[in-house]
Amino acid sequence: MQQVGETQPTVAQQRVLDAAAACFGERGFHGTTTRDIAKQAQLSPAVLYVHYPTKEDVLYEISRAGHVAALEVLRAAAARGSTPTEQLGELAQDFALWHARSHAVARVVNYELGALSPAHHEQIALLRRQMEQVTREVLEAGLDSGEFAVANTSLTALAVLSLGVDVGRWFKTTGTWQPEDVAKHYRELALRMVLAH
């Protein structure tokens, strides 16, 4: 049997994942049935089980893919800056931008973790620790260079990441702000948190 998350999804699998993300985002994991997902994907429930044995497997694949994407956003942003200040600014801005542009999936990725099995939850926790490590390394470099003044880099890394994660909870495309506006503002907020005066 194929292990969920080991390969890129097929076209049919992606239909299931997109449908499930929409359903989970609207009704929550526990409020969504496999029939709801199949109907949204315009597939029969039997076909859905061919691709993913359980509804939890579907949630895991959505969560895994979302966390992998967010981790890559952080790594690419941190690699762009030439100083810790630039790196943290890029990181905070791009992370917030990803959560604003992908807000529907981001809500599922970040707020349905409690529905994952212990084994799947641990896989996601590993990705989240890697995200924290990327951010913490930038903060530690800023401390070493004298650009930042923070007492606890681990807590500060979580605070910076939490800013971006929360965008997925409240952002709406019909709201006042564009994703780019939010991202720019969050860049400024993250830098104000850490810059030495």
Side-chain angles (χ1 to χ4, degrees), residues 40-171:
Q40 180 80 17
Q42 299 180 329
L43 298 169
S44 73
V47 171
L48 189 148
Y49 288 118
V50 168
H51 298 294
Y52 297 102
T54 70
K55 182 175 72 165
E56 190 271 343
D57 283 323
V58 178
L59 176 63
Y60 168 66
E61 179 55 23
I62 293 168
S63 189
R64 185 202 65 79
H67 279 87
V68 167
L71 177 58
E72 288 307 309
V73 164
L74 290 174
R75 286 176 171 160
R80 275 201 313 274
S82 59
T83 67
T85 299
E86 288 178 5
Q87 291 171 337
L88 185 64
E90 293 290 306
L91 182 152
Q93 180 169 315
D94 286 7
F95 197 59
L97 185 62
W98 184 85
H99 280 81
R101 287 179 173 167
S102 308
H103 59 93
V105 170
R107 273 195 294 275
V108 175
V109 165
N110 290 299
Y111 294 102
E112 295 288 351
L113 294 175
L116 292 172
S117 70
H120 283 162
H121 193 280
E122 179 51 37
Q123 292 300 311
I124 299 305
L126 175 61
L127 290 167
R128 291 172 82 90
R129 287 192 293 271
Q130 291 173 11
M131 292 162 68
E132 181 190 344
Q133 180 181 353
V134 170
T135 310
R136 192 177 63 247
E137 287 174 356
V138 170
L139 292 169
E140 288 168 352
L143 276 179
D144 291 343
S145 70
E147 293 170 59
F148 299 162
V150 294
N152 187 316
T153 55
S154 291
L155 279 176
T156 306
L158 290 174
V160 169
L161 294 173
S162 293
L163 280 173
V165 165
D166 198 51
V167 171
R169 180 185 58 79
W170 62 261
F171 188 84

Side-chain angles (χ1 to χ4, degrees), residues 6-19:
E6 283 190 349
T7 61
Q8 289 288 357
T10 65
V11 172
Q13 286 172 330
Q14 192 61 55
R15 279 176 64 186
V16 171
L17 297 174
D18 291 343

